[in-house]
Amino acid sequence: MSMDHLACYTPADLAGRTPPDLGQFRWKLLAQGDSWFSNARDKLNAHANLLQELVFKEKAAAVNCAGTGNALSHMVDLESAADFVRLLVGADAPAWDGVLLSVGGNDLIAAARTPAQDGHGQPVPLELRLLRRQTEWGPPSAGVARYFSEPGWATYADYLRANVKHLLSLRDQGASAGKPVFMHCYAVPMPRPAGAEHGDELGTSGPWLYPALKAYGVPAADWAAVSRLMVFHLAQLLKGMAADKDGFPGLFVFDSTAVPLALAAPGSTGISGDWHNEIHLNHSGCFKIARAWSEAIELVLEGKHLIPAPTGRKGRGSSSNS
């Protein structure tokens, strides 16, 4: 069966002289997100836009509000994402079949980059950062968790949950009320000195994790495992939200950590493995995650996720409270 790439448009395309005819598409999606969805030229030149690698059995289009400035470096920036909010809840907003979101990753990186001292030399409390100073490290028996601030994680988790809840409440105020919202987890980056060509949405050209782990004195041998710990914490948080059908109705999370990717080589400074730079995938990385995510999205759009999977058990032995 032939697969069609997701047709990607921008809010400017919709407002142009010859707007695209969205009526020709089976699925119409609204997208917003961080640099994994960015339309910035250097991202597109690197074929490193996750949306553009999504493929569906039926024709699908997305209006991508992520913009060229790598919008939404932080979830709270939604307030300034005027196009997205208008297209979701405006008086003339269309009814979308679903919303695609790429959020949480930049916030995680920013939290990991929070220094141990503020600009006035005052200590930053543990609940406001993700890494611990050497004097705060736990016992070696704790593994790489000894470097990780659980109080800081709790703050971040509360922040992300509140923002996703706000987003879902926005959805339910407009023509797309109750429609599925699709989010992805992130892949595990290798902390390394590989920055972006230009300043990015986090206000720097990178690298991002590499200088933070160095500043906190985390041994280089543990960098990859610390990165993995943080990304897996985020994946568990997102999947936990999706499992909470009352608190987060209509949220579907795809676990990107389960997609096998080629890690970047430690110490490499450019494109390596499936990575364009330290925290952004290249074409092959986007391709691998997008192919798997597309299938998960299409199952939900077609309603096939509602068909119970056979349990293989019959009769009185099966659970009656499911």
Side-chain angles (χ1 to χ4, degrees):
M1 175 181 289
S2 70
M3 305 285 275
D4 274 326
H5 272 90
L6 179 69
C8 293
Y9 301 103
T10 66
D13 293 331
L14 289 192
R17 273 188 164 167
T18 52
D21 172 18
L22 295 181
Q24 63 174 304
F25 295 96
R26 172 70 180 90
W27 307 118
K28 292 171 283 295
L29 307 168
L30 182 65
Q32 172 62 295
D34 55 26
S35 51
W36 278 33
F37 280 8
S38 169
N39 284 317
R41 184 170 284 116
D42 58 324
K43 292 283 190 323
L44 298 183
N45 288 347
H47 304 290
N49 179 315
L50 199 55
L51 285 180
Q52 298 197 330
E53 295 302 325
L54 293 175
V55 290
F56 299 99
K57 294 194 287 289
E58 300 199 60
K59 290 184 71 168
V63 176
N64 180 13
C65 301
T68 56
N70 302 337
L72 221 60
S73 56
H74 302 291
M75 280 288 289
V76 288
D77 296 345
L78 253 185
E79 299 307 323
S80 63
D83 285 329
F84 175 69
V85 175
R86 176 175 53 80
L87 287 167
L88 187 60
V89 298
D92 56 349
W96 303 99
D97 295 303
V99 179
L100 298 166
L101 287 178
S102 181
V103 293
N106 286 354
D107 294 283
L108 182 71
I109 298 289
R113 286 164 54 88
T114 304
Q117 291 186 323
D118 65 19
H120 305 289
Q122 297 302 307
V124 174
L126 262 180
E127 60 266 24
L128 296 182
R129 50 191 164 94
L130 286 186
L131 293 170
R132 291 175 174 270
R133 295 198 306 270
Q134 282 172 283
T135 53
E136 302 165 328
W137 288 355
S141 59
V144 294
R146 65 195 294 233
Y147 312 120
F148 188 64
S149 167
E150 290 292 349
W153 176 257
T155 303
Y156 171 85
D158 287 346
Y159 158 86
L160 197 62
R161 279 193 203 97
N163 275 278
V164 173
K165 272 206 160 104
H166 172 61
L167 230 150
L168 295 176
S169 74
L170 271 182
R171 170 203 62 188
D172 291 340
Q173 292 167 33
S176 305
K179 291 296 171 65
V181 170
F182 301 100
M183 292 177 69
H184 62 80
C185 303
Y186 290 79
V188 180
M190 172 67 70
R192 62 192 182 105
E197 294 85 350
H198 310 291
D200 86 320
E201 64 291 339
L202 292 169
T204 78
S205 55
W208 298 267
L209 287 172
Y210 171 79
L213 293 169
K214 274 176 71 170
Y216 274 97
V218 175
D222 288 335
W223 288 354
V226 172
S227 174
R228 182 183 168 88
L229 174 82
M230 292 196 283
V231 171
F232 273 65
H233 264 67
L234 178 54
Q236 289 304 117
L237 172 63
L238 292 173
K239 290 192 290 183
M241 288 187 221
D244 177 2
K245 295 299 180 195
D246 295 328
F248 299 87
L251 177 65
F252 295 87
V253 170
F254 173 69
D255 188 0
S256 314
T257 63
V259 178
L261 293 182
L263 265 176
S268 55
T269 58
I271 293 172
S272 179
D274 284 324
W275 295 84
H276 184 62
N277 58 36
E278 189 191 35
I279 61 171
H280 299 113
L281 298 168
N282 60 20
H283 180 241
S284 62
C286 284
F287 176 87
K288 290 173 184 175
I289 287 182
R291 290 301 147 108
W293 192 23
S294 302
E295 284 182 38
I297 292 168
E298 197 150 41
L299 278 177
V300 174
L301 292 175
E302 292 173 345
K304 289 182 180 168
H305 68 295
L306 299 171
I307 301 167
T311 60
R313 298 199 304 178
K314 293 179 183 162
R316 294 171 57 192
S318 61
S319 165
S320 59
N321 61 1
S322 56

